């Protein structure tokens, strides 16, 4: 079926930006201060380049495997279903580990308004995860105009912080220089681990890969959209952190659990702290809600393929959502939110992500061998991607390596047990058609920075039309 509207370069760029930028900036910025100090700026740049290269690998995979996105499909097509399962399994574990991160962050930022004891924190985490799980089961969607308002609420604090911070730098450059001196006060020993933690903020670009048949001139459009999208995200992240480390000394940031609230206080006083806190609470909630949805869909797709328990593919009779897996992952997220720290959860998540990305890079090497296309860099990019993934795997902690390897290996008996089962063909067609994939991916245009860029584009087009009519 030929789609009525093919995605332009702007559409795809917007979706990629929306897929990546969420509440990560409120979380990851706090984790590297005590590891590398103001050198974090360089770490954000390096992690952005790493993510951009792997994103190009995904883009080329989507070109060669045009029927559906995501690493599970790419690896299955290039190698076989077993390796595809390991890819999907490790990616699901990685996404599952990220869910409690936002619950922990929500409590941290909420305490800028109200002090919570241990019991209060547990109750808030339970309400936070339970409410978002219920929202995903019911399938509530924000109306377009309301979502536009939420976009402003989420991004306004960060944009205000960037503008006010850059203005402060112009008026007091000596203060900025002092906070950035020395640039690397703790040496290079923690740089690799800092890259692991920051790389997590760029994860999500795989959600922006599309079946090539859905895109106008895919050979040129997809790579350009990937480059443009990653450049926008990288600039946004780098500017935010440049301001953060310029107005607050890294030794002070090390002691802060909510550094952006601290930055808002310095620039705007109590009102600034309140604005940053509200933005963080909305962003964290939105990111976790979206994360729950994406994580459940991945498990649902694997269950449709007969690779996970059939109950994971069970849909709610009224709302048509995979409620069983949503409830299960909500319960797991709540338990992990009480036993893991932000850095531990993120690092373990990145270990599993890097494994899935590693198999995807290998898949592209195989796909290229059987194709006549000649895409720019299609042979060298997967090799660089393999090196990046290996670096990320090596740079995680020893406990991450041991636990991550055991979890990945635990997927093998699951595959052996479930793979002979017949998949649910009629549900699979509904979930994995190009039209269904397109609809889900376009949703990312309405998230955070992606939606903000869309609104700016609409305003620009209207102004241009008004000028031409004069």
């Amino acid at each position: 079926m030929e789609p009525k509207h093919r995605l332009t370069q702007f559409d795809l760029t917007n979706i990629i930006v929306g897929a990546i930028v969420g509440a990560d900036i409120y979380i990851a910025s706090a984790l590297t201060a005590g590891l590398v100090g103001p050198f974090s700026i360089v770490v954000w740049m390096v992690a952005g380049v790493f993510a951009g290269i792997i994103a190009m690998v995904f883009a080329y995979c989507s070109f060669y495997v045009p029927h559906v996105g995501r690493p599970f499909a790419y690896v299955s097509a290039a190698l076989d279903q077993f390796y595809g399962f390991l890819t999907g399994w490790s990616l699901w574990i990685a996404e599952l580990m990220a869910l409690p991160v936002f619950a922990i962050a929500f409590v941290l930022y909420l305490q800028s308004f109200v002090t919570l004891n241990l019991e209060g924190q547990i109750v808030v985490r339970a309400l936070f995860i339970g409410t978002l799980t219920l929202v995903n089961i019911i399938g509530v969607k924000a109306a377009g105009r309301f979502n536009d308002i939420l976009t402003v609420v989420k991004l306004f604090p960060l944009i205000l912080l960037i503008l006010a911070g850059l203005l402060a730098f112009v008026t007091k450059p000596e203060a900025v220089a002092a906070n950035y001196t020395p640039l690397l006060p703790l040496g290079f020993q923690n740089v690799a681990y800092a890259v692991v933690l920051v790389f997590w903020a760029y994860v999500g670009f795989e959600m922006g890969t599309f079946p090539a048949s859905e895109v106008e001139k895919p050979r040129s459009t997809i790579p350009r959209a990937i480059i443009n999208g990653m450049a926008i995200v990288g600039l946004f992240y780098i500017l935010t952190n440049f301001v953060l480390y310029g107005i607050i000394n890294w030794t002070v940031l090390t002691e802060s659990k909510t550094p952006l609230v601290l930055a808002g206080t310095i620039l705007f006083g109590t009102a600034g702290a309140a604005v940053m806190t509200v933005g963080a609470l909305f962003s964290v909630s939105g990111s976790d809600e979206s994360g729950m949805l994406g994580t459940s869909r991945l498990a649902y797709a694997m269950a449709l393929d007969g690779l996970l328990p059939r109950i994971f593919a069970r849909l709610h009779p009224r709302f048509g959502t995979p409620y069983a897996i949503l409830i299960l992952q909500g319960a797991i997220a709540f338990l992990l939110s009480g036993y893991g720290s932000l850095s531990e959860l993120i690092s373990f998540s990145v270990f599993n992500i890097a494994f899935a990305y590693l198999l995807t890079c290998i898949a592209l090497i195989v796909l290229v061998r059987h194709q006549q296309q000649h895409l720019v860099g299609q042979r060298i990019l997967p090799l660089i991607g393999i090196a990046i993934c290996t670096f990320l795997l090596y740079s995680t902690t020893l406990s991450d390596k041991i636990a991550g390897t055991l979890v990945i290996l635990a997927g093998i008996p699951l595959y052996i047990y479930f793979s002979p089962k017949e998949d649910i063909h009629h549900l699979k067609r509904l979930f994995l058609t190009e039209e269904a994939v397109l609809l889900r991916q376009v949703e990312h245009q309405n998230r955070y920075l992606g939606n903000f860029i869309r609104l700016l584009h609409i305003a620009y087009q209207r102004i241009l039309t008004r000028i031409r009519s004069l």
Side-chain angles (χ1 to χ4, degrees):
M1 178 178 177
E2 187 72 13
K4 295 181 180 179
H5 169 67
R6 288 178 179 267
L7 294 165
T8 65
Q9 183 174 313
F10 176 81
D11 293 330
L12 193 53
T13 299
N14 209 28
I15 292 167
I16 292 167
V17 172
I20 298 173
V21 177
D24 314 76
I25 191 67
Y26 286 98
I27 300 168
S29 295
L31 301 177
T32 56
L35 295 174
V36 293
F39 192 76
S40 294
I41 289 296
V42 178
V43 170
W44 280 88
M45 295 178 184
V46 171
V49 172
F50 283 3
I53 291 173
I54 298 178
M56 288 295 294
V57 171
F58 274 75
Y60 286 167
C61 283
S62 72
F63 190 89
Y64 287 126
V65 186
H67 55 280
V68 65
R70 302 305 296 266
F72 170 59
Y74 305 152
V75 177
S76 295
L79 305 175
D80 59 37
Q81 190 163 265
F82 170 70
Y83 292 103
F85 168 79
L86 288 183
T87 302
W89 169 253
S90 59
L91 192 61
W92 181 64
I93 294 297
E95 294 180 354
L96 188 61
M97 292 299 104
L99 297 181
V101 170
F102 296 105
I104 297 172
F106 185 88
V107 171
L108 291 176
Y109 277 96
L110 182 63
Q111 292 193 93
S112 298
F113 284 145
V114 56
T115 302
L116 299 171
N117 57 24
L118 180 59
E119 291 76 14
Q121 294 177 34
I122 294 174
V123 170
V124 170
R125 289 198 298 265
L127 290 174
F128 176 81
I129 294 174
T131 300
L132 295 182
T133 299
L134 181 61
V135 166
N136 273 286
I137 291 175
I138 296 175
V140 174
K141 297 291 184 182
R145 290 184 182 275
F146 182 63
N147 189 60
D148 292 345
I149 295 173
L150 287 180
T151 297
V152 175
V153 172
K154 295 166 185 173
L155 283 175
F156 176 74
L158 294 176
I159 294 173
L160 185 63
L161 178 72
I162 291 172
L163 295 177
L166 293 177
L167 180 61
F169 292 174
V170 173
T171 57
K172 297 180 180 179
E174 66 282 354
V176 180
N179 285 331
Y180 272 98
T181 305
L183 181 63
L184 189 59
L186 302 175
F188 286 96
Q189 61 182 8
N190 296 319
V191 170
Y193 187 61
V195 171
V196 169
L197 298 180
V198 170
F199 183 83
W200 178 78
Y202 287 95
V203 169
F205 53 78
E206 71 276 7
M207 298 296 293
T209 54
F210 272 79
S213 60
E214 304 284 6
V215 181
E216 288 184 359
K217 301 178 180 178
R219 184 190 296 269
S220 59
T221 296
I222 293 177
R224 289 175 183 173
I226 290 284
I227 293 171
N228 292 340
M230 296 304 295
I232 292 171
V233 171
L235 180 63
F236 181 73
Y237 281 162
I238 291 167
L239 285 176
T240 303
N241 282 277
F242 178 67
V243 168
L244 185 65
Y245 281 88
I247 62 176
I248 308 173
N249 189 271
W250 71 273
T251 57
V252 178
L253 284 173
T254 302
E255 304 298 325
S256 176
K257 295 181 179 180
T258 54
L260 293 176
V261 172
L262 179 59
T265 304
I266 293 174
L267 290 173
F268 305 107
T270 305
V275 170
M276 294 302 300
T277 301
V278 170
L281 293 176
F282 272 97
S283 294
V284 167
S285 300
S287 286
D288 209 33
E289 187 273 335
S290 177
M292 284 185 175
L293 186 63
T295 305
S296 65
R297 280 172 171 169
L298 177 57
Y300 176 63
M302 293 175 68
L304 293 181
D305 241 349
L307 299 177
L308 285 179
R310 190 184 183 97
I311 191 173
F312 286 5
R314 185 176 297 173
L315 298 179
H316 193 281
R318 178 179 177 185
F319 303 114
T321 52
Y323 68 98
I325 186 59
L326 281 166
I327 293 174
L328 175 63
Q329 69 184 30
I332 294 174
F334 172 70
L335 293 174
L336 290 175
S337 69
Y339 293 98
S341 68
L342 289 175
S343 58
E344 290 172 345
L345 290 168
I346 291 174
S347 178
F348 186 73
S349 178
V350 171
F351 178 89
N352 287 275
I353 289 170
F355 179 77
Y357 290 175
L358 175 65
L359 290 178
T360 306
C361 291
I362 295 173
L364 180 57
I365 294 176
V366 176
L367 291 171
V368 167
R369 289 176 180 173
H370 297 88
Q371 300 291 337
Q372 301 298 320
Q373 304 290 340
H374 297 286
L375 304 177
V376 177
Q378 66 176 11
R379 297 187 182 277
I380 188 64
L381 284 175
L383 297 178
I384 299 174
I386 289 173
I388 291 171
C389 294
T390 303
F391 169 81
L392 292 172
L393 290 168
Y394 175 78
S395 300
T396 57
T397 64
L398 178 61
S399 60
D400 289 332
K401 294 182 181 69
I402 295 174
T405 302
L406 291 176
V407 168
I408 292 171
L409 292 177
I412 296 177
L414 287 177
Y415 175 82
I416 294 174
Y417 181 79
F418 288 109
S419 60
K421 302 294 187 294
E422 182 180 358
D423 64 3
I424 311 171
H425 294 287
H426 64 290
L427 290 178
K428 189 175 178 181
R429 284 194 298 271
L430 290 175
F431 187 75
L432 298 179
T433 61
E434 288 194 8
E435 291 78 11
V437 173
L438 176 62
L439 179 61
R440 292 197 301 273
Q441 302 291 59
V442 169
E443 291 173 4
H444 287 291
Q445 291 187 98
N446 296 321
R447 291 189 64 233
Y448 303 104
L449 189 59
N451 195 40
F452 183 74
I453 294 172
R454 183 183 65 83
L455 295 175
L456 291 179
H457 181 71
I458 292 173
Y460 169 76
Q461 294 286 12
R462 289 179 178 175
I463 293 172
L464 195 62
T465 302
R466 184 68 61 85
I467 292 174
R468 288 174 176 173
S469 64
L470 294 178

